[in-house]
Amino acid sequence: FDAKRYAEAIPAFEAYLASKPDGEVAADALTSIAWSRIMLGQLDEASKTLETLTSRFPTSKGLAPTRLRLAWAVLEKDKPAEAAAAFQAIVASGDEKLAPEAAWGRARALDAAKQTDEALKAYALVAEKYPDGERGGLATLAQARLLTDAKRPAEAAAIYERYLHDHPDPKAAPKGA
């Protein structure tokens, strides 16, 4: 797995699980199988492995990061509605460590799905709830872009003005802004 030979790693982890289904590192083995399948683009299989991990080891420390990685992989495979739902589940789980990235992912997924009004709300949530993070400024700019695209220039201008007020120093602006 660490050598990124995912196709070879899966059978080794499966063999471990077959011999020790409740072994000391069974949750880690399932997590590694899920990540391997994600890296190989086997998202349906990764999802099934994640379901198994969830049902057998609901408190596994690898569960939330694996859910997040799978959500990004689903979005990368151009399935934005499915990705938005996956990101929302992470946000709703209350994991404060992953919530900012999951909220950002949900907004991006809704944007990609052309659900403008929902994407605007999701970007607003990111900008309001996580203003100090890098995503806060980017979310504000994304709102302005969507409003511009939707031919709502007055609202877009107000958002741009707020962005300039909140980020007066261009050198301190978030990357990608």
Side-chain angles (χ1 to χ4, degrees):
F1 179 82
D2 290 336
K4 299 183 181 181
R5 293 168 37 193
Y6 305 112
E8 296 173 41
I10 293 169
F13 288 122
E14 288 173 337
Y16 170 81
L17 289 168
S19 67
K20 298 179 181 179
D22 296 316
E24 197 172 304
V25 293
D28 295 335
L30 282 167
T31 300
S32 295
I33 291 170
W35 275 85
S36 294
R37 293 203 182 283
I38 291 167
M39 299 309 289
L40 292 169
Q42 301 170 353
L43 303 186
D44 290 338
E45 293 87 349
S47 183
K48 290 175 188 169
T49 303
L50 193 54
E51 288 173 18
T52 302
L53 178 62
T54 302
S55 67
R56 292 190 54 214
F57 303 99
T59 61
S60 168
K61 65 181 177 166
L63 191 56
T66 306
R67 281 187 181 137
L68 185 62
R69 180 62 193 108
L70 181 58
W72 281 114
V74 169
L75 182 57
E76 290 163 10
K77 289 289 185 182
D78 201 26
K79 297 180 179 180
E82 187 178 329
F87 285 122
Q88 178 57 34
I90 297 164
V91 171
S93 76
D95 186 324
E96 289 303 314
K97 183 178 174 190
L98 298 179
E101 185 176 349
W104 170 253
R106 180 174 180 270
R108 295 272 314 269
L110 291 167
D111 193 350
K114 307 289 187 218
Q115 296 180 23
T116 302
D117 290 336
E118 291 302 311
L120 283 167
K121 291 176 193 171
Y123 283 129
L125 175 79
V126 173
E128 291 167 17
K129 196 164 184 182
Y130 312 106
D132 297 330
E134 181 178 318
R135 306 282 196 228
L138 292 175
T140 300
L141 290 174
Q143 285 177 281
R145 175 188 48 81
L146 281 176
L147 289 165
T148 300
D149 292 348
K151 310 267 188 269
R152 294 162 59 183
E155 292 172 86
I159 298 286
Y160 280 125
E161 285 179 24
R162 185 177 78 221
Y163 176 82
L164 291 172
H165 177 267
D166 293 346
H167 301 89
D169 180 5
K171 292 178 184 175
K175 294 176 186 174

